[in-house]
Amino acid sequence: MAIAMTEERSAGTGRPSVRVLADRCAGCQECVLRCPTGALGMDTDRWVATADDERCVGCRQCVRTCPFSAIVVEGPAMVAPRVSGTTAHPESVLADISEVRQGFTDWEAALAEAQRCLACPDPTCVRGCPAHNDIPAFVAAIRDRDLAGAHEVLQRTSVLADVCSRVCNQAAQCEGACTWSLAGEAPVAIGQLERFVTDHAPVPPPVRGPDADVSVGVVGAGPAAIGAAWSLIEAGASVTVYEKDPVPSGLLGWGIPDFTLPQAVAQRPWRQLEAAGVELRCDAEVDADGIERLLTEHDAVIVAAGASIPVRPPIPGADLDGVTDATTFLKTGQAALEAEGGRDRWLAAMGFTPGVHGGSAGHVLVLGAGNTAMDVARTARRLGLDATCVDWLDRRFALARPDELDEAWREGVGVRFSRTVTRLEGDAKRVRRAYLARTVQPSADRMPKVQRGEQETLAVDLVVMAMGYRVDPAIAGALPGTPVRRQAAGLPDRRWMASGVLANPASEFAFHNPVGQLALGREVGLQTASLPVRERVWVIGDTLTGPATVVEAMAQGRRAASAIMAGRPSRPGKGRAGPRRALVCYASVGGRTAGVAHKVAEELTAKGLAVRVLPIDRVGREELAATDLLVVGSWVEGLVVAKVGPARAARAWLDGLPRLGGVPAAVFCTYEIDPRATLDVMAKALESRGARVVASSALRRGGDDVAAIALARRTLAGARDEVAAAGVLNGS
Amino acid sequence: MAIDLQQHRSTGQADPIPAAVHLRPAVRSGIEERFGASDPEPGLELTRNPRVARLVRNRKFQFLLILPNQIVFWTVIFVGLAGTAVPGLNFGAAITWYVWFCLVFVMMVVVGRAWCAMCPFGGFAEWVQRRTFWQRTQKVLGLGRKFPEPLARLGFLIPVASFLLLTWIEEFFNIAGPGNPADTSWMVVGIVSSALIFFLVFERRTFCRYVCPLSTLIGTVGSMGSVAGFRTKDREVCLSCQTKDCMRGGNDGYGCPWYTWPGSADSNLSCGLCSECFKGCSEGNVGLFLQKPLTSVIVPRRRRADVAWGIAILWGLVVFQQFNATNVYASMDSWLNKYLLVPHYPDPVDYVGIIAAVTILTAGLVWLIAKALGRNDAVPTGPTNFVDRKSRFRNFFVPMAYGLIPVVGADYFARQLPKFFKHSARVVPAVAHIAGFGSAKSSIYGFHILSDGWIVVVQVLVIVAGTAAAAWATWRIAGRELVPVSRNALAVRLTTLGVVLAFGALASVLYVLMHAAS
């Protein structure tokens, strides 16, 4: 018996070859649907996938998407070398604040790079982008030389394309999730193509929509506020922005140096927003009490106050002179570089004497090696100082964007990973020495461990703590449920699994920085931004999630704005309608509870509401954000007297609910003998998340339909009574 | 691929991702031809009954199937090692060889992979792998490796090889005789250990699908059964499903441990009846279906060469197991053992040689039929893999092997009957012996349900029934699959029918000879 040890494969070298494992291929077509080049088809007689090597480019999308691991691709990827934009590293960085990265300067380079995009049918880059820009579409527009079309695509999801293309860590986002990157090849230069669009065609300004009679107060003027204000003004809302600083833009203004983000680019959104009618009130700090005041003036309030309190680790010696934080350093350092003679004044003010360390005025030790730390160190180099960054993370898991790290090295910044500062010492109360210990970090999800043994001593003149920021506790205390952890729990959305973005990538960078998991974690923040933390109060950006990125903040702002315009909240005393959208969700095993849920939904629909009915395992933050009235049903689990309560699945779902921001809710259960405290448990769980339970019903077998209709009517009446109590009810 | 900007502009969803996803359309051509005959009738869906649906959806369902067998087989291990050395009084040996193996065949013929759903060996290893008895956990224990591709290409042949090995070990040590009960225990421990190792190294039920000695036997004989397994209710829903929870695992169910997609299953060959797809499907589009007996033998459109060769080898093995009871074999085995220095029966050379000879003779017979009746122009080009490759010989061999399944299955079943009819009553004193008061002197210990003569009659009747089923299946298969590739339609149908009848007659005659020899 001769057994052929090869599957369908065409011979050849220098080309990728695809093998479909005929034994295991179930013909589900997950690979066929997603193959960018159409190299996979179906043998409908055997009902298994077939491969055409001639059309395969070796992107291995099929390998990542096959549920049964029935496809093997071997051989090189058929992709042209990446075309990168130029960088303009000055001979000497001293006092030079001109932009380093230049992007593509001509169409030829941009088109060559755009051609590398496979326009994947299920583009993983879109999932990797925190704003979910339709990357294949805007790249296709570039290929068509249609920059206006590219802007149109980008503006569906982003209003900061010029900013994001400069400051995003694309390697951990869109480019990290590019199918070429997941296959171990150089990804499409998405960030540079995005920048090419904005460099060669100005970002179109917002167009104010017809008056929607919704007034929104936005606290803060950073990227999150920009995203929110942009969407709101385009939807016809009246927007007032309260910014504590004298100039808007928040982090974009003071946190990112000119050599990365020129001020002209950073200020562009606010110029356009003010021109479109957004009322900007600077020097207007809003505290917790201020939020209450704003709620009386506006229909909704968005808190986008950022995370501005620097984290200061408890290192012995941190109270010495010459120890400062990144905010202070960047604000003063930037100002010094921009002003005539400002550098010398700044050096003198900071106690430096030029020439002490050879040509350098002194040595700055930066704690941390993330993007802010890189900004600090590179600013220090421009101020005429030596700079060393120290980070206890392993280099493989570095937080800074790889190109930024590379640029810092080229500019003479020393970056030392797997080190941590154990103490600082000084002379005459001025910091002079730092002691460094080694650390070990075996994997990205484990905290580094400090090694014992001999410590290294580093002579320093200034120590800058750039280890992140936290939300002002006074603000956070007034916003229940914040900050939210950007970590997806449970089984990932299978649509994400199907796309292949969560599969083990071949790219070394993506392997150490699992872009799919990072992206899923960001989804938590994005979806939570749609939900009010309390009635009429939305929280977005760093205030919601803790320190994150510009693009995430902007995207959250847009989500919150959409939620507000869809829900149309109104302040007390202003007429408003009752609930218009209802969500009826249920935990059902035998189908009875589901039947009751559908009957409730039917009655609510008859009363004019737009109703969705879903099993609870399909109800996430998005579904919750799109409802004005929530009805939750469960069957009663337990043994007559023992452990009687809502079904376990329902309990787990209730326990995992996000803040519901005062949404009116009803609960019901179906039972056979005795529901005991089932309804109370459900109601308390909902109320602990900020919902207001206005009706409840326990349904014994027999007469489910009548009871369901009665519950629906009581729920609607309860919700409308609440509205009436809060203000004036419009309509029925 | 061209991007439709207009479509993009018209999308105003909160989640922008769907607007950027442009999946290719699923291939839907030929679905009726491919699945029309094998799709079970909607009226035969058991899970239409809410109580059945609720039972099957319950995560404890499979646990409760496995638990009794788990208790029995750990008892077998313990009693086999610690109990009496008298096989008939030892619960471990008695329950395993007098009752269990026979019942497994009954389950195969009636239900399909029912034993796989309740198997304590894979069940135990799966509990360890999933770190739970029944819950849906997200993180499994072990390495989760894929089964090596070169081995996976062999499909159902590795289980046949492991079945041959296990059978030789069982014959060599006279485990199923039964001999020393401790040997039965060690055999069970060996299977459980192997399963555990495979479950901890590989993903899903790699052991059950690719290695378990019983996998091919149960899969093929079980295809006679009346349970179609878990199948799609509406294939269109499956084709448009964006999550494939039944394959990847959903909130309530694991991805299919057997690498089967209900959306394309056309037989019960690879459905382990674990119900995970039913639990996992977020659309409620999977049902448990019944089918007419022999449906999974006759109608599947895709015939697999690994299954065909597996059937032929299993046929060789069961013929060996009959032939080894004859005096001719005994003389030959002794003669070989003397020269090959093998201490006793069965000599591995004659064991493998006879099985190979029967397999090759079977294939050779088919080759002759193909040569004589096959059309020269009916050798389609197509896949080159072992499982699906086409040739004139395979055009005949693969469908004919499927047609032989009932006679092979009947032969295996008949082979188990003597122990059941003669000794199954010994389980009662064996159980009592655990409590200290069972005896070989009790009347029930020596009770035979049937006498030797009647047992042979029943065996022959079983073979006759199996042969009749095989004849029916082969007639239908020949009409559908052999006639189009033959020069003479009637000749090919009659010839293949003759082969089946001859095989049935051979099996019957061998049982008579076995009886005569004993």
Side-chain angles (χ1 to χ4, degrees):
Chain A
M1 182 174 66
I3 295 172
M5 295 300 287
T6 56
E7 301 290 314
E8 292 89 339
R9 169 169 41 179
S10 65
T13 55
R15 282 197 62 88
S17 72
V18 192
R19 293 198 307 277
V20 177
L21 185 54
D23 167 70
R24 205 182 289 165
C25 175
C28 68
Q29 306 194 45
E30 291 289 275
C31 55
V32 179
L33 306 181
R34 292 181 172 81
C35 177
T37 62
L40 289 157
M42 282 293 289
D43 177 338
T44 54
D45 190 45
R46 294 181 298 140
W47 206 258
V48 295
T50 55
D52 177 1
D53 285 0
E54 294 300 317
R55 300 177 80 169
C56 175
V57 293
C59 71
R60 290 155 172 82
Q61 180 87 326
C62 50
V63 177
R64 292 189 292 275
T65 59
C66 177
F68 285 164
S69 315
I71 300 189
V72 178
V73 177
E74 287 175 345
M78 306 279 283
V79 59
R82 173 170 158 137
V83 181
S84 290
T86 56
T87 52
H89 276 287
E91 285 287 315
S92 165
V93 294
L94 190 64
D96 188 331
I97 56 170
S98 59
E99 191 176 8
V100 172
R101 289 171 224 137
Q102 299 295 311
F104 295 124
T105 52
D106 57 63
W107 271 100
E108 193 180 351
L111 288 172
E113 187 56 23
Q115 291 294 347
R116 296 178 73 240
C117 175
L118 289 169
C120 302
D122 192 350
T124 41
C125 55
V126 174
R127 296 181 194 273
C129 169
H132 302 314
N133 289 343
D134 190 345
I135 292 158
F138 95 73
V139 173
I142 293 175
R143 282 201 293 263
D144 293 342
R145 293 176 175 260
D146 177 8
L147 293 182
H151 265 307
E152 192 178 339
V153 173
L154 285 168
Q155 285 217 316
R156 304 283 306 184
T157 45
S158 172
V159 298
L160 292 173
D162 50 350
V163 175
C164 292
S165 62
R166 286 172 167 85
V167 304
C168 271
N169 184 0
Q170 286 99 357
Q173 298 175 354
C174 54
E175 292 183 17
C178 170
T179 196
W180 286 128
S181 176
L182 296 174
E185 301 293 330
V188 174
I190 298 165
Q192 295 185 39
L193 288 171
E194 184 183 24
R195 177 167 172 182
F196 179 78
V197 175
T198 59
D199 280 356
H200 291 78
V203 177
V207 179
R208 184 166 197 161
D211 187 10
D213 190 27
V214 175
S215 166
V216 183
V218 181
V219 180
I226 292 170
W230 196 292
S231 295
L232 289 166
I233 205 77
E234 286 200 323
S238 159
V239 185
T240 308
V241 175
Y242 303 87
E243 166 59 37
K244 67 179 179 185
D245 287 342
V247 290
S249 291
L251 173 87
L252 299 182
W254 56 260
I256 304 176
D258 278 14
F259 54 81
T260 297
L261 181 69
Q263 278 304 303
V265 178
Q267 291 302 326
R268 186 270 310 163
W270 279 111
R271 284 198 307 274
Q272 293 179 329
L273 284 168
E274 284 193 282
V278 172
E279 186 184 345
L280 176 63
R281 296 184 189 172
C282 290
D283 291 317
E285 184 158 5
V286 176
D287 55 14
D289 293 337
I291 293 172
E292 301 301 331
R293 196 188 68 248
L294 292 184
L295 281 169
T296 62
E297 298 172 12
H298 301 285
D299 299 318
V301 171
I302 296 178
V303 182
S308 55
I309 309 294
V311 173
R312 292 182 73 103
I315 300 170
D319 54 347
L320 290 166
D321 289 344
V323 179
T324 185
D325 59 72
T327 308
T328 308
F329 181 90
L330 286 170
K331 281 183 174 173
T332 58
Q334 284 269 80
L337 286 168
E338 284 165 7
E340 185 74 29
R343 190 174 71 87
D344 292 337
R345 287 196 298 276
W346 184 89
L347 287 172
M350 297 299 282
F352 287 106
T353 309
V356 169
H357 300 271
S360 155
H363 195 156
V364 179
L365 174 66
V366 185
L367 304 191
N371 291 318
T372 303
M374 292 301 122
D375 288 338
V376 169
R378 295 174 72 186
T379 302
R381 294 290 297 141
R382 282 160 174 77
L383 288 163
L385 302 163
D386 285 337
T388 301
C389 297
V390 173
D391 198 326
W392 74 338
L393 298 179
D394 190 286
R395 185 178 170 177
R396 293 171 296 168
F397 317 126
L399 298 174
R401 45 186 286 178
D403 52 353
E404 175 123 38
L405 208 49
D406 184 53
E407 286 161 12
W409 268 313
R410 290 177 64 173
E411 290 175 4
V413 174
V415 185
R416 305 181 69 178
F417 289 101
S418 300
R419 302 282 194 289
T420 188
V421 174
T422 56
R423 71 178 195 276
L424 299 169
E425 283 184 358
D427 299 332
K429 292 190 176 179
R430 170 84 190 190
V431 68
R432 291 297 174 205
R433 286 173 300 281
Y435 291 88
L436 309 183
R438 286 181 174 276
T439 59
V440 173
Q441 186 185 22
S443 62
D445 57 352
R446 291 170 69 175
M447 292 278 280
K449 282 188 178 171
V450 180
Q451 300 291 98
R452 292 182 179 177
E454 194 177 339
Q455 297 196 347
E456 189 182 344
T457 309
L458 198 67
V460 297
D461 303 298
L462 183 68
V463 175
V464 182
M465 296 192 174
M467 301 183 72
Y469 299 90
R470 61 192 172 90
V471 181
D472 184 347
I475 289 282
L479 305 170
T482 62
V484 174
R485 282 188 76 189
R486 291 181 305 158
Q487 195 165 24
L491 188 68
D493 184 328
R494 265 76 69 212
R495 286 169 301 180
W496 282 64
M497 293 171 79
S499 74
V501 72
L502 300 171
N504 278 342
S507 145
E508 191 179 354
F509 177 83
F511 184 77
H512 293 309
N513 301 269
V515 287
Q517 288 298 335
L518 291 174
L520 268 181
R522 290 193 293 263
E523 285 300 286
V524 175
L526 201 56
Q527 291 170 5
T528 308
S530 310
L531 288 156
V533 296
R534 43 181 285 213
E535 196 171 3
R536 298 192 292 120
V537 178
W538 277 257
V539 181
I540 55 174
D542 291 0
T543 314
L544 176 66
T545 61
T549 59
V550 170
V551 62
E552 281 177 80
M554 181 271 298
Q556 288 172 14
R558 290 175 64 86
R559 283 287 172 100
S562 297
I564 289 169
M565 296 315 292
R568 301 289 176 111
S570 57
R571 57 188 178 275
K574 184 180 174 187
R576 62 169 160 160
R580 294 175 293 109
R581 304 167 299 169
L583 172 64
V584 184
C585 48
Y586 57 87
S588 180
V589 174
R592 185 179 155 215
T593 315
V596 172
H598 279 92
K599 198 69 195 174
V600 171
E602 202 177 287
E603 181 63 16
L604 291 174
T605 306
K607 296 291 181 190
L609 275 73
V611 187
R612 291 183 77 184
V613 194
L614 291 171
I616 53 165
D617 59 0
R618 292 169 74 174
V619 176
R621 286 172 161 82
E622 275 183 47
E623 289 74 22
L624 291 167
T627 188
D628 308 319
L629 178 62
L630 179 64
V631 181
V632 184
S634 170
W635 60 285
V636 174
E637 194 170 354
L639 295 170
V640 186
V641 292
K643 292 187 175 178
V644 175
R648 197 180 311 174
R651 264 178 285 181
W653 181 81
L654 286 165
D655 290 344
L657 280 175
R659 297 294 305 176
L660 294 171
V663 67
V667 291
F668 73 89
C669 65
T670 54
Y671 71 101
E672 300 286 346
I673 298 171
D674 182 2
R676 297 175 76 88
T678 302
L679 289 178
D680 282 348
V681 170
M682 294 172 73
K684 279 179 185 163
L686 284 171
E687 282 168 350
S688 72
R689 296 294 186 281
R692 300 190 314 266
V693 177
V694 295
S696 62
S697 181
L699 288 76
R700 190 167 192 168
R701 188 176 287 281
D704 281 356
D705 286 359
V706 174
I709 291 168
L711 173 65
R713 288 177 181 168
R714 277 191 287 122
T715 304
L716 198 52
R720 284 177 173 162
D721 286 348
E722 290 238 334
V723 173
V728 180
L729 186 66
N730 272 351
S732 57
Chain B
M1 191 176 70
I3 301 292
D4 182 355
L5 283 178
Q6 196 54 47
Q7 180 193 338
H8 195 273
R9 283 166 195 146
S10 64
T11 311
Q13 301 166 57
D15 179 2
I17 293 176
V21 174
H22 305 273
L23 298 181
R24 294 176 183 280
V27 176
R28 290 174 166 83
S29 60
I31 284 181
E32 182 53 35
E33 296 86 338
R34 177 65 177 74
F35 297 107
S38 57
D39 278 348
E41 296 290 326
L44 295 177
E45 187 204 336
L46 290 175
T47 39
R48 283 198 311 175
N49 181 318
R51 288 178 195 279
V52 177
R54 189 168 178 157
L55 176 72
V56 177
R57 187 168 286 116
N58 193 320
R59 284 225 56 88
K60 297 189 186 86
F61 170 64
Q62 196 182 11
F63 167 76
L64 293 173
L65 286 178
I66 294 170
L67 185 63
N69 292 297
Q70 199 70 244
I71 293 168
V72 168
F73 271 87
W74 284 106
T75 308
V76 165
I77 291 171
F78 178 76
V79 175
L81 291 172
T84 175
V86 179
L89 275 182
N90 187 294
F91 174 78
I95 190 83
T96 304
W97 304 116
Y98 299 150
V99 178
W100 169 72
F101 213 51
C102 193
L103 286 181
V104 167
F105 276 94
V106 174
M107 279 192 282
M108 284 182 216
V109 173
V110 177
V111 181
R113 287 195 184 269
W115 173 252
C116 300
M118 60 181 70
C119 170
F121 314 132
F124 173 75
E126 196 170 61
W127 291 348
V128 176
Q129 185 195 50
R130 291 177 177 174
R131 306 195 294 190
T132 178
F133 289 119
W134 62 74
Q135 287 173 354
R136 169 74 168 110
T137 54
Q138 305 296 342
K139 205 171 176 184
V140 296
L141 189 66
L143 304 177
R145 298 261 167 88
K146 320 289 181 201
F147 196 53
E149 191 199 345
L151 297 174
R153 283 187 202 131
L154 298 174
F156 282 98
L157 280 182
I158 294 174
V160 175
S162 61
F163 187 57
L164 294 188
L165 177 65
L166 189 72
T167 304
W168 185 84
I169 291 170
E170 178 263 300
E171 296 278 358
F172 188 81
F173 293 102
N174 187 29
I175 298 171
N180 184 352
D183 291 343
T184 298
S185 301
W186 288 121
M187 190 190 77
V188 174
V189 167
I191 295 173
V192 172
S193 306
S194 309
L196 189 58
I197 290 166
F198 272 85
F199 272 78
L200 289 177
V201 173
F202 298 105
E203 60 169 7
R204 308 191 190 220
R205 279 190 175 239
T206 293
F207 176 80
C208 308
R209 176 69 173 72
Y210 288 112
V211 182
C212 173
L214 290 176
S215 186
T216 307
L217 185 68
I218 296 180
T220 53
V221 177
S223 62
M224 297 159 64
S226 301
V227 174
F230 288 92
R231 304 275 187 93
T232 178
K233 294 179 190 173
D234 180 351
R235 184 159 289 102
E236 183 52 38
V237 174
C238 285
L239 286 173
S240 55
C241 173
Q242 291 194 20
T243 59
K244 302 287 191 294
D245 287 4
C246 58
M247 304 173 89
R248 295 192 172 89
N251 286 323
D252 300 321
Y254 291 87
C256 177
W258 289 81
Y259 300 102
T260 295
W261 183 42
S264 66
D266 62 356
S267 83
N268 60 7
L269 174 70
S270 301
C271 178
L273 298 175
C274 64
S275 72
E276 293 295 347
C277 56
F278 181 80
K279 295 178 171 87
C281 179
S282 55
E283 303 290 335
N285 192 44
V286 175
L288 176 60
F289 288 89
L290 299 179
Q291 63 183 4
K292 291 176 190 164
L294 298 176
T295 301
S296 289
V297 173
I298 296 169
V299 301
R301 179 78 173 258
R302 184 188 180 198
R303 304 276 186 203
R304 299 172 53 123
D306 56 333
V307 172
W309 282 108
I311 294 161
I313 296 168
L314 290 173
W315 167 242
L317 175 60
V318 75
V319 169
F320 167 84
Q321 289 186 314
Q322 292 177 272
F323 183 59
N324 69 1
T326 62
N327 295 332
V328 178
Y329 174 81
S331 306
M332 184 182 73
D333 190 62
S334 301
W335 179 78
L336 265 177
N337 284 342
K338 194 166 75 178
Y339 288 99
L340 297 176
L341 304 177
V342 177
H344 59 78
Y345 160 86
D347 188 285
V349 172
D350 71 51
Y351 176 76
V352 174
I354 290 170
I355 294 168
V358 175
T359 306
I360 291 167
L361 279 172
T362 304
L365 190 60
V366 178
W367 183 83
L368 285 174
I369 295 170
K371 186 84 176 165
L373 298 173
R375 278 169 42 188
N376 290 330
D377 60 344
V379 182
T381 55
T384 58
N385 67 79
F386 165 64
V387 169
D388 293 314
R389 197 172 55 232
K390 299 284 183 189
S391 69
R392 189 166 64 180
F393 164 67
R394 283 187 171 213
N395 282 350
F396 282 75
F397 176 69
V398 177
M400 281 184 68
Y402 273 75
L404 287 175
I405 286 174
V407 77
V408 176
D411 207 352
Y412 272 96
F413 182 49
R415 179 93 174 79
Q416 314 310 318
L417 292 177
K419 284 177 193 162
F420 179 79
F421 285 131
K422 287 165 74 173
H423 304 308
S424 58
R426 289 181 180 178
V427 171
V428 176
V431 170
H433 194 269
I434 297 174
F437 49 88
S439 165
K441 293 173 184 166
S442 68
S443 58
I444 199 165
Y445 185 86
F447 176 72
H448 292 187
I449 297 173
L450 291 177
S451 66
D452 285 355
W454 278 109
I455 290 172
V456 176
V457 171
V458 173
Q459 284 180 308
V460 171
L461 286 174
V462 167
I463 295 294
V464 168
T467 306
W472 164 246
T474 300
W475 185 261
R476 294 278 310 276
I477 291 170
R480 279 163 35 119
E481 299 174 48
L482 300 185
V483 167
V485 294
S486 302
R487 288 199 289 268
N488 186 316
L490 185 62
V492 77
R493 293 184 96 163
L494 290 175
T495 309
T496 50
L497 193 60
V499 170
V500 171
L501 295 174
F503 279 25
L506 172 68
S508 301
V509 168
L510 282 171
Y511 278 116
V512 175
L513 289 178
M514 286 168 70
H515 177 60
S518 66

